Amino acid sequence: GQQVMQIPQYQHVQEGEDFTTYCNSSTTLSNIQWYKQRPGGHPVFLIQLVKSGEVKKQKRLTFQFGEAKKNSSLHITATQTTDVGTYFCAGPVDDYKLSFGAGTTVTVRA
Amino acid sequence: DAGVTQSPTHLIKTRGQQVTLRCSPISGHKSVSWYQQVLGQGPQFIFQYYEKEERGRGNFPDRFSARQFPNYSSELNVNALLLGDSALYLCASSLYNGEAFFGQGTRLTVV
């Protein structure tokens, strides 16, 4: 079955620095979704990418969908303490469920 | 508008017992999905219901069952609880297969 993998598992970032987290699928995806889960919280939808090569920006967050629609990335610039949390990518499988990656847990050093 | 609501928020059960978790979706959302999230992992799909019918089931044993009511709320039942069932159980509603709106979850501890 489809597997969605994320790297790195952990990202320790100095406040103000940039970082990127990557998501790879074993199969082509119709779309890719990104979620953020704060410590002790629940996943919150960030964005959905649908088109091959699509790039979307949300303030300091840049999301990209690969040309083959099998990979995606999330780039955060000028990391802030509010960016702390776990970022998940998820792809639809069998038209009814989301397959989540294991997530990238981000900690920020002030 | 109220978001997805789940009850209870926390629950402690003994091995072998049965548990029922409840979820109310966002008004107008007819699709409800259940996920299990173990500490340090991403949510794992358990069930999806759409218009009161089961549309899909994840790789979980038959001890797990669910249903959706005419008002689109849903219940997840787990029988014969095992220690390994301890997890955060998340309910998500969506319009169809769009973005998923998650509830706060029910943290189940099996002792």
Side-chain angles (χ1 to χ4, degrees):
Chain A
Q2 175 185 320
Q3 287 189 329
V4 175
M5 293 153 287
Q6 284 185 254
I7 55 170
Q9 185 177 1
Y10 297 98
Q11 185 79 55
H12 308 290
V13 189
Q14 182 71 41
E15 191 173 17
E17 291 184 340
D18 302 351
F19 75 91
T20 303
T21 177
Y22 300 91
C23 177
N24 293 287
S25 170
S26 57
T27 59
T28 301
L29 300 169
S30 59
N31 68 77
I32 189 87
Q33 300 176 22
W34 285 87
Y35 293 80
K36 177 183 179 180
Q37 186 173 22
R38 296 182 184 275
H42 59 280
V44 174
F45 176 82
L46 293 177
I47 208 160
Q48 177 175 283
L49 304 172
V50 179
K51 299 177 183 177
S52 169
E54 188 171 13
V55 178
K56 287 188 176 181
K57 292 188 176 183
Q58 289 181 349
K59 298 181 180 179
R60 296 178 294 102
L61 277 61
T62 302
F63 303 83
Q64 187 167 5
F65 202 8
E67 294 291 339
K69 301 183 74 172
K70 295 179 70 173
N71 57 73
S72 181
S73 65
L74 161 59
H75 181 78
I76 299 182
T77 59
T79 304
Q80 299 177 359
T81 56
T82 54
D83 296 323
V84 164
T86 301
Y87 294 83
F88 294 100
C89 62
V93 177
D94 298 330
D95 198 36
Y96 60 81
K97 70 178 183 181
L98 284 175
S99 176
F100 281 80
T104 294
T105 298
V106 176
T107 56
V108 179
R109 300 188 301 271
Chain B
D1 284 341
V4 177
T5 58
Q6 292 186 243
S7 63
T9 55
H10 295 82
L11 203 53
I12 300 176
K13 288 287 189 178
T14 304
R15 279 178 297 175
Q17 286 188 315
Q18 174 265 342
V19 68
T20 299
L21 311 180
R22 296 176 175 82
C23 172
S24 293
I26 292 172
S27 177
H29 286 191
K30 299 179 180 180
S31 174
V32 171
S33 299
W34 287 95
Y35 290 83
Q36 181 195 66
Q37 186 177 27
V38 176
L39 194 62
Q41 296 183 18
Q44 296 296 311
F45 173 81
I46 309 175
F47 286 107
Q48 189 195 59
Y49 277 78
Y50 181 76
E51 286 279 20
K52 301 177 285 295
E53 291 190 2
E54 181 183 307
R55 296 194 68 241
R57 181 190 182 107
N59 188 25
F60 281 81
D62 292 342
R63 299 184 295 107
F64 289 75
S65 63
R67 54 179 175 169
Q68 187 177 33
F69 299 98
N71 65 354
Y72 303 111
S73 67
S74 179
E75 286 182 351
L76 174 70
N77 294 282
V78 186
N79 294 322
L81 285 167
L82 304 174
L83 295 179
D85 295 330
S86 296
L88 178 67
Y89 288 86
L90 295 161
C91 171
S93 77
S94 61
L95 285 173
Y96 182 58
N97 279 336
E99 63 181 272
F101 293 83
F102 284 88
Q104 300 279 13
T106 294
R107 186 159 299 281
L108 173 65
T109 302
V110 182
V111 296

